[in-house]
Amino acid sequence: MAVVPYKDQTSPKKEQVAQMFDNISPRYDFLNHFLSLGIDVSWRKKAIKLLKPQAPKHILDIATGTGDFAIQALKLDPEMVTGVDISEGMLQVGRKKIDQKGLQQKIELKYGDSENLEFEDNKFDAVIVSFGVRNFENLQKGLSEMYRVLRPGGNAVIVEFSKPQRFPFKQLYGFYFQWILPTLGRIISRDNAAYSYLPESVGKFPYGEAFIKELQEAGFKNNVCKPLTFGISSIYMGRK
C-alpha cells in the first residue's frame, strides 16, 4: 500500500504529493534547511561533485522543487539545467529565486510528471534528483523514465534519505525524525500531514542495496551507494 500524505483522501499519491508541496511551498526552503540543520546543502554539493569528471552540458533535475539542486548543478558549468516538478507552488518559488539570482539563461523550471517525462530519448547528459524519488507513485516507472531520457554513458545521481544503523545515532535520529521533526514541521508549515508523511515515507522506502537493485531493474549499470552523515542520507549513482 502506497504511503500518502493525506490518509483521509482517496486521490492518487501523485495528486496528494503535489497538493502537499503546494501547501508548504512558501515555507519549504526555510523548513528544509532548519530541520536538517543546514546539512542538506553539503549533501547536494557532494552529489554534484560526483558528476564533475563527466562535465555534463545538459542536465535534468527531477522533482526540482524550488530549484536548489538545479542551482547547485551550475557548479558543473553546463549549458542548461532543466528542472521539472509536479507542484506549481514549488515551481513559482523556484522561478522567483532564479529570477532574483539572474540565472534565467542557465536554468529553466517546468511543470512535469517525473513518471511521464515530456522529453525525447537520450536527451540529457546527466539526470539528478534530491529527495524526490521517495515521492514517486510508481518507483520503477520513475526510474525507467530517468533511464530513457539519459544519453548512453550518462549518469544519474540521486540523493535520498536512508536509515542510520549504528548505536546510538540510530536511536537519537529515530527519536528526532519520529517526534521532533514532525512537530516542528506542523507548527511552521501549517500542514498537519506533510511532516508526518516524511518519516513514514522514509521508513517504507528501499535504501542501500535494496535501492541499488531498483536501479539495476531500471537498466542502470555501475551503481554505487555513498552513505552520508552516519547514514541519514545516501547518494546513489548509476550509468546508462
Side-chain angles (χ1 to χ4, degrees), residues 123-232:
K123 179 176 175 63
F124 296 97
D125 302 313
V127 177
I128 59 176
V129 196
S130 64
F131 308 106
V133 292
R134 191 184 72 258
N135 299 318
F136 290 176
E137 187 168 334
N138 184 318
L139 178 58
Q140 264 306 307
K141 192 173 182 183
L143 294 178
S144 296
E145 277 292 271
M146 290 168 56
Y147 185 85
R148 180 183 66 79
V149 301
L150 191 60
R151 68 163 176 79
N155 287 289
V157 172
I158 299 165
V159 186
E160 190 51 86
F161 287 112
S162 46
K163 301 173 195 171
Q165 298 298 309
R166 293 185 179 180
F167 177 88
F169 201 77
K170 176 181 178 180
Q171 287 73 18
L172 291 170
Y173 177 73
F175 179 76
Y176 174 76
F177 214 54
Q178 291 291 335
W179 301 102
I180 306 299
L181 182 146
T183 301
L184 291 174
R186 277 194 294 270
I187 293 169
I188 300 171
S189 73
R190 300 171 197 164
D191 186 302
N192 289 331
Y195 287 88
S196 296
Y197 164 77
L198 175 57
E200 187 179 357
S201 63
V202 171
K204 298 288 179 65
F205 193 77
Y207 68 98
E209 285 302 316
F211 189 71
I212 290 290
K213 288 179 181 177
E214 296 284 351
L215 288 171
Q216 290 171 343
E217 189 175 334
F220 289 98
K221 310 294 184 186
N222 303 329
N223 302 302
V224 295
C225 171
K226 297 179 179 292
L228 302 166
T229 317
F230 305 105
I232 293 177

Side-chain angles (χ1 to χ4, degrees), residues 40-159:
D40 63 303
V41 177
S42 69
W43 293 339
R44 290 186 180 91
K45 286 181 179 179
K46 288 179 181 178
I48 291 301
K49 281 182 180 178
L50 292 176
L51 287 171
K52 195 169 184 180
Q54 285 75 49
K57 292 304 177 186
H58 295 92
I59 301 172
L60 176 63
D61 180 23
I62 290 176
T64 190
T66 61
D68 278 352
F69 209 23
I71 293 170
Q72 186 62 44
L74 294 183
K75 294 290 184 181
L76 299 169
D77 193 28
E79 292 177 12
M80 176 60 69
V81 180
T82 303
V84 296
D85 203 281
I86 58 171
S87 167
E88 277 293 351
M90 296 285 276
L91 289 169
Q92 287 174 16
V93 174
R95 289 183 188 118
K96 184 177 179 181
K97 187 190 302 183
I98 285 163
D99 288 348
Q100 289 172 342
K101 292 177 179 289
L103 300 174
Q104 305 94 318
Q105 301 303 312
K106 284 284 191 176
I107 300 175
E108 180 185 22
L109 300 187
K110 304 170 66 173
Y111 176 85
D113 181 354
S114 56
E115 296 168 40
N116 294 283
L117 294 170
E118 295 183 358
F119 302 108
E120 63 267 28
D121 297 356
N122 310 315
K123 179 176 175 63
F124 296 97
D125 302 313
V127 177
I128 59 176
V129 196
S130 64
F131 308 106
V133 292
R134 191 184 72 258
N135 299 318
F136 290 176
E137 187 168 334
N138 184 318
L139 178 58
Q140 264 306 307
K141 192 173 182 183
L143 294 178
S144 296
E145 277 292 271
M146 290 168 56
Y147 185 85
R148 180 183 66 79
V149 301
L150 191 60
R151 68 163 176 79
N155 287 289
V157 172
I158 299 165
V159 186

